[in-house]
């Protein structure tokens, strides 16, 4: 009797265990599907915001470049001649100024027969003598500023030409065109660290649906409807419909099955410049990248003793981690979108102001003292506002180091040339130069911020900025000493914190950006009083250290 009861009890216990395990399987599948759908929906929304923000950032860069080309085409040097030495010096100087904000490959001039007669940078490819009569939009280039995607060299890279016609200011006669050559990857890489988008997931089309930028270089320059591109994308009618929807001017997020990656999230938006859709941005992310963590943690093989509790615990942890990451991403996204909006909304007016001041100076060769003082004030204000925009962007974007051997004194000189150093301040640089490995662009940001802080600290008083350097067998030590007032002990402890500033002007991100850059170089930056001195210590041979 007892034996029979035990069998019944064991049978009931077995049924309970089987029921729990079976229920665990169902709960696991149900929960995974719900989380998967929730994550896809959340990722789609975030990716759509990032796509729009990246497109807006690139839009602002091209708008500014168009203003720069217009300014060059209307300059007195270009109006007088397309080929003399003064013109060559002018476009070389313009190229340097543009590259300080947005990297472009070259500036070149064509005459009224559309033959290239002058260029700035002939190291990468030589264009003088090439006729552009047969390129796309050549007739449109003659009448108004514009854009066009072209392969104009033997390297096969599809570049964007930003142009403005050169019209004689007196006769109104067409004299030629000024072109700027832009590689889309150079502009995109400037912002990619802000939005945490993988470069391989981005595809950009021009207004003729030709591919300007893609992971597969064989696609560059080919139309979306072409046989090769359609074969690459799998001739998918659903995907084609999604792309055509974007090409028609809509902004849209869509999830579909790709023959290459399975389920994907695709977000796309047109980029309108001067009321015309000039470019189309697409970001495509495989769904497997989003749910792979959950798939890894919820394998059926792990469902053993008391599996339901284990599953619930794992799901809870996963949900908490995902939510924490989502909150962090949302914060970064807000900062990134803020930076994008600042660049988009402020840079275009700044470019207009800067070019207007240049025109005023060019058209008034005998400027009286009052106008001269006012134009200088405007230029200083524009430089300060542009520096604040760059401070925000430098803080939120993180890009890999591009290491090369550099001269310390050359970097200091280049940084000081980009600033306006008042006459009441004496700048002393090291007498002996030092060669060391660093990312030159990032180090210029550091030096510009330290110099600007020193200038603002000294203000209108007579003062000095002394830059000293020394080296050991393994390290470079650089110090920036200024004669400005000491910093309070309370502020010294906070000075490298993001958004902290004791000044009425500034973003509070300059010194924080400096610290981030020096840390990337495996170095340190510190501050001390009496006199105020910032000291940078970095490895001399960083590549060897890595």
């Amino acid at each position: 009797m007892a034996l029979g009861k035990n069998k019944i009890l064991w049978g009931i216990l077995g049924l309970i265990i089987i029921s729990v395990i079976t229920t665990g399987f169902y709960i696991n599948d149900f929960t995974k599907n719900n989380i998967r759908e929730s994550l896809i929906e959340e990722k789609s929304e975030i990716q759509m915001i990032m796509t729009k923000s990246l497109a807006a950032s690139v839009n602002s860069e091209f708008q500014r470049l168009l203003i720069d080309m217009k300014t060059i085409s209307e300059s007195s040097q270009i109006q007088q001649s397309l080929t003399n030495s003064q013109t060559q010096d002018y476009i070389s100087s313009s190229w340097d100024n543009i590259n300080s904000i947005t990297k472009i490959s070259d500036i070149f001039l064509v005459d009224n027969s559309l033959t290239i007669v002058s260029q700035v940078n002939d190291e990468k490819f030589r264009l003088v003598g090439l006729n552009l009569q047969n390129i796309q939009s050549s007739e449109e280039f003659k009448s108004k500023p514009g854009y066009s995607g072209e392969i104009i060299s033997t390297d096969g890279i599809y570049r964007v030409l930003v142009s403005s016609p050169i019209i004689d200011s007196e006769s109104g006669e067409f004299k030629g065109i000024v072109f700027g050559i832009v590689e889309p990857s150079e502009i995109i890489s400037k912002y990619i660290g802000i939005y945490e988008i993988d470069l391989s997931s981005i595809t950009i089309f021009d207004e003729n649906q030709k591919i300007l930028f893609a992971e597969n270089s064989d696609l560059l320059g080919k139309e979306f409807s072409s046989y090769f591109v359609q074969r690459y994308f799998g001739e998918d009618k659903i995907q084609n419909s999604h792309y055509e929807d974007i090409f028609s001017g809509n902004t849209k997020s869509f999830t579909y099955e790709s023959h290459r990656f399975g389920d994907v999230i695709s977000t796309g938006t047109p980029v309108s410049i001067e009321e015309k859709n000039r470019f189309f941005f697409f970001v495509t992310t495989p769904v497997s990248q989003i749910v792979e963590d959950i798939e890894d943690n919820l394998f059926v093989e792990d469902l053993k003793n008391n599996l339901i509790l284990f599953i619930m615990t794992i799901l809870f942890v996963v949900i908490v981690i995902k939510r924490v990451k989502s909150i962090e991403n949302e914060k970064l996204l807000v900062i990134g979108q803020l930076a994008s909006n600042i660049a988009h909304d402020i840079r275009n007016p700044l470019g207009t102001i800067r070019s207007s001041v240049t025109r005023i100076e060019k058209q008034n060769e005998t400027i009286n003292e009052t106008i001269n003082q006012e134009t200088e004030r405007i230029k200083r204000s524009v430089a300060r506002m542009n520096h604040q925009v760059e401070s925000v962007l430098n803080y939120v974007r993180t890009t890999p180091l591009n290491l090369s051997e550099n001269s310390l004194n050359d970097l200091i000189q280049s940084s000081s040339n980009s600033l306006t150093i008042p006459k009441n301040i004496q700048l002393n640089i090291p007498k002996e130069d030092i060669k060391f490995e660093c990312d030159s662009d990032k180090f210029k940001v550091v030096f510009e911020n330290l110099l600007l802080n020193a200038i603002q600290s000294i203000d209108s008083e007579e003062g000095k900025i002394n830059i000293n350097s020394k080296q050991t067998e393994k390290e470079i030590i650089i110090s920036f000493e200024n004669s400005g007032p000491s910093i309070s002990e309370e502020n010294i402890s906070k000075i490298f914190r993001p958004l902290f500033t004791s000044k009425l002007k500034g973003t509070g991100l300059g010194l924080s950006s400096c610290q981030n850059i020096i840390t990337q170089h495996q170095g340190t930056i510190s501050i001390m009083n009496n006199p105020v001195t910032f000291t940078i210590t970095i490895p001399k041979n960083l590549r060897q250290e890595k």
Side-chain angles (χ1 to χ4, degrees), residues 105-106 119 121-127 130 150-161 181-186 212 216-222:
S105 301
D106 199 0
Q119 74 175 111
N121 181 22
D122 60 1
E123 295 181 2
K124 198 166 188 178
F125 38 75
R126 299 192 176 187
L127 302 175
L130 179 68
E150 300 292 339
I151 299 177
I152 59 171
S153 66
T154 57
D155 59 11
I157 296 177
Y158 205 65
R159 297 175 171 87
V160 177
L161 300 182
I181 305 179
V182 185
E183 293 186 17
S185 59
E186 295 288 355
L212 282 175
N216 186 345
S217 60
D218 293 335
L219 296 173
L220 298 179
K222 294 181 173 60

Side-chain angles (χ1 to χ4, degrees), residues 137-199:
S137 306
S138 60
E139 289 302 317
E140 186 177 338
F141 285 151
K142 294 181 180 181
S143 59
K144 62 181 180 179
Y147 306 85
S148 177
E150 300 292 339
I151 299 177
I152 59 171
S153 66
T154 57
D155 59 11
I157 296 177
Y158 205 65
R159 297 175 171 87
V160 177
L161 300 182
V162 185
S163 71
S164 181
I166 303 168
I167 307 298
D168 190 285
S169 59
E170 295 181 357
S171 65
E173 179 186 352
F174 171 72
K175 298 180 64 176
I177 307 171
V178 56
F179 285 96
I181 305 179
V182 185
E183 293 186 17
S185 59
E186 295 288 355
I187 292 181
I188 295 172
S189 61
K190 184 175 181 180
Y191 294 96
I192 202 69
I194 299 175
Y195 306 112
E196 296 184 351
I197 300 176
D198 189 349
L199 272 175

Side-chain angles (χ1 to χ4, degrees), residues 230-262:
Q230 284 297 305
R231 289 285 292 175
Y232 180 83
F233 283 118
E235 298 177 307
D236 189 324
K237 293 182 179 179
I238 296 176
Q239 182 181 17
N240 287 349
S241 175
H242 169 60
Y243 274 61
E244 292 296 339
D245 206 9
I246 309 301
F247 292 145
S248 65
N250 295 312
T251 295
K252 189 175 180 182
S253 175
F254 191 64
T255 303
Y256 59 88
E257 185 176 355
S258 163
H259 81 292
R260 287 184 173 272
F261 306 108

Side-chain angles (χ1 to χ4, degrees), residues 317-371:
V317 171
V318 170
I319 291 170
V320 169
I321 291 173
K322 289 294 180 183
R323 179 46 50 192
V324 169
K325 287 184 177 179
S326 176
I327 292 172
E328 292 175 352
N329 287 338
E330 287 170 6
K331 289 179 180 177
L332 290 175
L333 193 62
V334 169
I335 296 175
Q337 195 166 8
L338 171 64
S340 170
N341 291 339
I342 289 174
H344 184 262
D345 293 336
I346 294 182
R347 273 186 167 170
N348 290 340
L350 286 183
T352 303
I353 294 170
R354 184 183 62 189
S355 59
S356 297
V357 171
T358 303
R359 289 194 187 98
I360 291 172
E361 291 178 333
K362 296 291 183 184
Q363 293 173 3
N364 295 271
E365 296 179 355
T366 58
I367 298 178
N368 63 48
E369 187 64 21
T370 302
I371 294 178

Side-chain angles (χ1 to χ4, degrees), residues 62 102 104 111 138 162 292 295-296 303 345 403 430 474 512:
F62 277 111
T102 301
I104 65 173
D111 61 16
S138 60
V162 185
E292 62 184 2
E295 297 292 344
D296 290 342
L303 300 176
D345 293 336
L403 296 176
K474 292 186 175 182
S512 179

